[in-house]
Amino acid sequence: MAGNATTRFGNVSLLSVASVLPSRVTTSDDIEDRLSAALARLRLRPGLLRRVAGVNERRNWAEGESSDDATIAAGTKALAEAGVAPGEVGLLINTSVTRKHLEPSVAVRLHHGLDLPTSAINFDIANACLGFVNGMSLAAGMIESGQIRYAIVVNGEDADEIQVNTINRLVNSNADRDGFMSEFASLTLGSGSAAAVLGRADEHPEGHRLLGGVTRAATQFHELCVGSVDGMFTDAKALLKGGLNLVVSAWKEAAPEWKWSGMDRYITHQVSSVHTGAIVKAAKLDPERVPVTYDRYGNVGPASIPITLAEQQSSLKRGDRVLLMGVGSGLNTAMMELAW
């Protein structure tokens, strides 16, 4: 498949997926109240976040909570549900965009917090909102090769700092509507943590098989969405167009090897109602099979796919086919099939 990377796994299963969400709820009305001066100056009607993005609320960490502690809690929960002891884990991959410092890695604190053995490899990988799916694929390859028996892939995001900085800048600047909308995506972000445990399928027949998937890159669009803790600046229209073209081209070129038109569930990266609707239309998906969480949690970055999957797992039955799919800034796309 020209321009595609395709992977198949023969003996890897997802053993568990778990999430931990912040206790503090921040509504879109709360954010728009803080932006009222800027909205009035630009003559933008109230309800912009609900109307344009479909985001009603998102979660933020309350006092005494943190993304690292919640990620450790999610990992502990996932290990318990998988029946895997911390001492059996051979690999921890942290896929968070959020990081408090450049070094050491976020993974070292999570490794320590989860009481993993000194033999457990641990590191961060970063690929914007695709990090978690990339981490699962990398961990699956190491399991398949026999290097490790069990892996835990984790993610924890904290949207507070970027949102505070964005709101303060928009209120105190003379930005026009285009300038305001270039930072709109920052206002849809949410916080949360998730973890997944992977192991050998032949040792865990009760697990959910990772069959494999594809990735595709369109890195000519690497400047369309650029973010830091100071803010995230996005050319929303160009990003949506480029992302849709990327997804559709990858989908079509994968078709000879992968039959994804009849999945029982599509777990997509959660961005907004616009993005979800566009992907459903472009890939001709049944919207009833595409659950959404952006309305309640906003865009939780790489954690959005595992958070949505964790919520859906109780309604999935043995034999269901599940496709994880998303687009990350840069641009990159990845799709991974699970046999539940």
Side-chain angles (χ1 to χ4, degrees):
M1 294 182 290
N4 274 270
T6 184
T7 307
R8 286 190 178 273
F9 302 115
N11 192 28
V12 183
S13 282
L14 172 69
L15 306 184
S16 64
V17 59
S19 65
V20 172
L21 296 170
S23 63
R24 180 161 61 98
V25 176
T26 304
T27 68
S28 289
D29 290 341
D30 293 335
I31 287 181
E32 291 191 14
D33 283 345
R34 292 153 66 187
L35 285 167
S36 58
L39 293 173
R41 178 176 59 81
L42 296 171
R43 297 183 180 180
L44 291 169
R45 289 189 294 120
L48 185 67
L49 283 160
R50 298 176 189 271
R51 188 171 63 252
V52 175
V55 177
N56 299 319
E57 59 188 38
R58 75 283 293 137
R59 298 293 185 92
N60 294 100
W61 302 110
E63 186 175 352
E65 300 174 344
S66 73
S67 57
D68 284 351
D69 289 345
T71 304
I72 291 168
T76 300
K77 182 179 178 182
L79 287 170
E81 291 179 357
V84 175
E88 297 179 285
V89 175
L91 170 69
L92 177 145
I93 301 178
N94 170 63
T95 65
S96 306
V97 173
T98 298
R99 54 185 311 116
K100 297 175 182 177
H101 38 65
L102 291 177
E103 59 176 288
S105 69
V106 178
V108 295
R109 187 176 194 281
L110 306 179
H111 179 283
H112 176 72
L114 287 167
D115 196 26
L116 301 185
T118 58
S119 56
I121 306 164
N122 60 96
F123 53 82
D124 298 346
I125 65 169
N127 194 17
C129 294
L130 280 186
F132 203 93
V133 177
N134 293 151
M136 289 179 66
S137 182
L138 179 58
M142 294 178 69
I143 292 170
E144 192 98 304
S145 72
Q147 186 176 356
I148 57 172
R149 283 182 67 205
Y150 296 108
I152 182 167
V153 182
V154 299
N155 184 274
E157 303 299 342
D158 186 342
D160 269 20
E161 186 172 4
I162 187 173
Q163 284 185 342
V164 169
N165 290 339
T166 298
I167 291 169
N168 289 340
R169 181 168 48 253
L170 291 174
V171 168
N172 295 303
S173 76
N174 293 315
D176 58 14
R177 282 195 179 194
D178 288 342
F180 182 95
M181 294 308 295
S182 74
E183 299 199 57
F184 183 80
S186 300
L187 306 176
T188 69
L189 298 176
S191 304
S193 293
V197 176
L198 281 64
R200 290 171 55 95
D202 58 7
E203 294 182 346
H204 293 274
E206 77 286 357
H208 316 296
R209 292 284 300 278
L210 267 71
L211 302 183
V214 301
T215 64
R216 186 177 175 89
T219 54
Q220 67 269 30
F221 298 122
H222 65 277
E223 294 184 343
L224 293 183
C225 181
V226 179
S228 70
V229 294
D230 293 325
M232 185 164 66
F233 300 86
T234 303
D235 183 338
K237 290 183 178 179
L239 189 68
L240 179 60
K241 181 180 179 181
L244 284 177
N245 288 339
L246 180 61
V247 168
V248 171
S249 62
W251 184 280
K252 289 180 178 178
E253 291 189 12
E257 291 194 42
W258 300 93
K259 308 300 181 185
W260 288 331
S261 60
M263 296 285 104
D264 295 289
R265 210 68 51 90
Y266 297 91
I267 307 297
T268 64
H269 170 54
Q270 303 289 303
V271 180
S272 70
S273 55
V274 173
H275 289 78
T276 299
I279 288 177
V280 166
K281 182 178 179 180
K284 299 179 181 178
L285 307 181
D286 178 357
E288 295 297 319
R289 301 184 182 189
V290 185
V292 299
T293 54
Y294 61 77
D295 57 338
R296 291 164 286 138
Y297 306 141
N299 178 353
V300 200
S304 68
I305 285 179
I307 286 173
T308 305
L309 181 60
E311 286 202 352
Q312 288 292 304
Q313 61 184 332
S314 63
S315 66
L316 293 169
K317 61 183 184 298
R318 195 72 178 172
D320 279 351
R321 299 172 68 200
V322 180
L323 188 67
L324 312 182
M325 56 189 298
V327 179
S329 301
L331 288 165
N332 287 291
T333 189
M335 304 171 194
M336 175 182 287
E337 183 178 348
L338 305 178
W340 205 259

